[in-house]
Amino acid sequence: VQDAASNQDPRSGGDEGSRRHWKEEICQILGEIQTSLSPLLLRLCHWLLPKLLTRLFVSVQLHWGQLEMVLRAARTPKVPLVFLCSHQSQLDGPLLSFVLLSQGIGLPRVTAGTWPSPYLRSLLQRLGGIFLPSGMAQPLSDQDEGLPGAVLDAYIQEVLQNHQPLIVFLEEPPASLRLAETARCWLLRVLRALRDGAVPDVLIVPVGIAYDVAP
């Protein structure tokens, strides 16, 4: 992050004013990515979600044999879980978060692109959502990511080092059978964390979500 900041303005020379400016900009970028979780909202959401699901669907089915494999994988010491998911509906994120949290795996960080509504973005961040910063709203080359890309790299390294489950949706709903640009961006962070030695390994868990009728 320091290298990216100094490369953007090499004439600043590291004086106190420039350091304060870059600190403010880095905090602003980090605020676009995530915010503090709200235990009250999380409890409320996980109380309401089963009631919503019973209204929407006849049943929600899990493959218990595969879930047992995921639970065993979650007990692997010092190796974070990364869930790569198909994407059928905007309900997928809350549904998968509820399943993982209810099974004792922990609250995952659910990746998303940029979000047009700041109020909805803030709400989802308090429930575990993480977002691309506005400076990365458009596809960029690795060289053009600048400070937002460096902050995002550092943030994902922290998530993986703290062994928080990470959910990456590979497609835009409804499923398009091609890798979404936002998914490519998030996966690149995971690969860089591995390349830079931030974590020794990650466990990749493929997840399929299907609906008889997508909500």
Side-chain angles (χ1 to χ4, degrees):
V1 174
Q2 289 175 338
D3 289 344
S6 60
N7 288 339
Q8 284 197 355
D9 189 6
R11 296 169 299 176
S12 63
D15 58 88
E16 184 65 29
S18 66
R19 285 198 297 269
R20 185 163 52 249
H21 165 74
W22 289 121
K23 184 177 181 180
E24 291 173 356
E25 185 165 344
I26 289 166
C27 289
Q28 180 181 349
I29 294 170
L30 189 59
E32 292 179 347
I33 297 171
Q34 62 97 52
T35 192
S36 300
L37 297 174
S38 169
L40 177 61
L41 273 177
L42 285 167
R43 285 196 295 269
L44 180 62
C45 180
H46 287 94
W47 177 75
L48 286 174
L49 190 59
K51 301 179 184 301
L52 173 65
L53 294 176
T54 56
R55 293 293 184 93
L56 287 176
F57 308 115
V58 175
S59 64
V60 177
Q61 299 178 3
L62 301 176
H63 191 296
W64 287 109
Q66 294 177 359
L67 187 58
E68 281 293 328
M69 294 174 62
V70 174
L71 292 172
R72 287 200 300 271
R75 292 192 286 268
T76 305
K78 299 183 180 179
V79 180
L81 294 175
V82 177
F83 296 85
L84 303 185
C85 311
S86 60
H87 204 5
Q88 305 286 333
S89 157
Q90 298 296 352
L91 189 61
D92 295 348
L95 176 61
L96 192 53
S97 293
F98 171 73
V99 170
L100 296 179
L101 189 59
S102 65
Q103 296 301 313
I105 294 176
L107 181 71
R109 289 294 189 171
V110 183
T111 62
T114 55
W115 206 271
S117 168
Y119 299 106
L120 187 55
R121 180 189 184 117
S122 177
L123 173 64
L124 294 175
Q125 283 178 325
R126 294 187 181 281
L127 294 173
I130 54 176
F131 293 81
L132 293 177
S134 56
M136 301 180 67
Q138 300 298 325
L140 301 170
S141 69
D142 294 350
Q143 291 76 22
D144 295 335
E145 289 179 348
L147 190 59
V151 174
L152 190 60
D153 282 338
Y155 175 76
I156 290 299
Q157 288 185 11
E158 287 289 327
V159 168
L160 297 177
Q161 287 172 344
N162 290 324
H163 308 118
Q164 296 182 54
L166 184 68
I167 294 176
V168 179
F169 290 108
L170 300 178
E171 309 143 333
E172 295 292 343
S176 59
L177 299 182
R178 66 185 278 273
L179 184 66
E181 186 61 34
T182 53
R184 188 200 72 84
C185 186
W186 288 111
L187 290 172
L188 183 60
R189 314 297 139 186
V190 176
L191 291 174
R192 286 180 180 170
L194 283 168
R195 179 198 65 190
D196 296 342
V199 288
D201 199 1
V202 296
L203 287 173
I204 300 295
V205 182
V207 179
I209 300 175
Y211 302 90
D212 289 338
V213 179

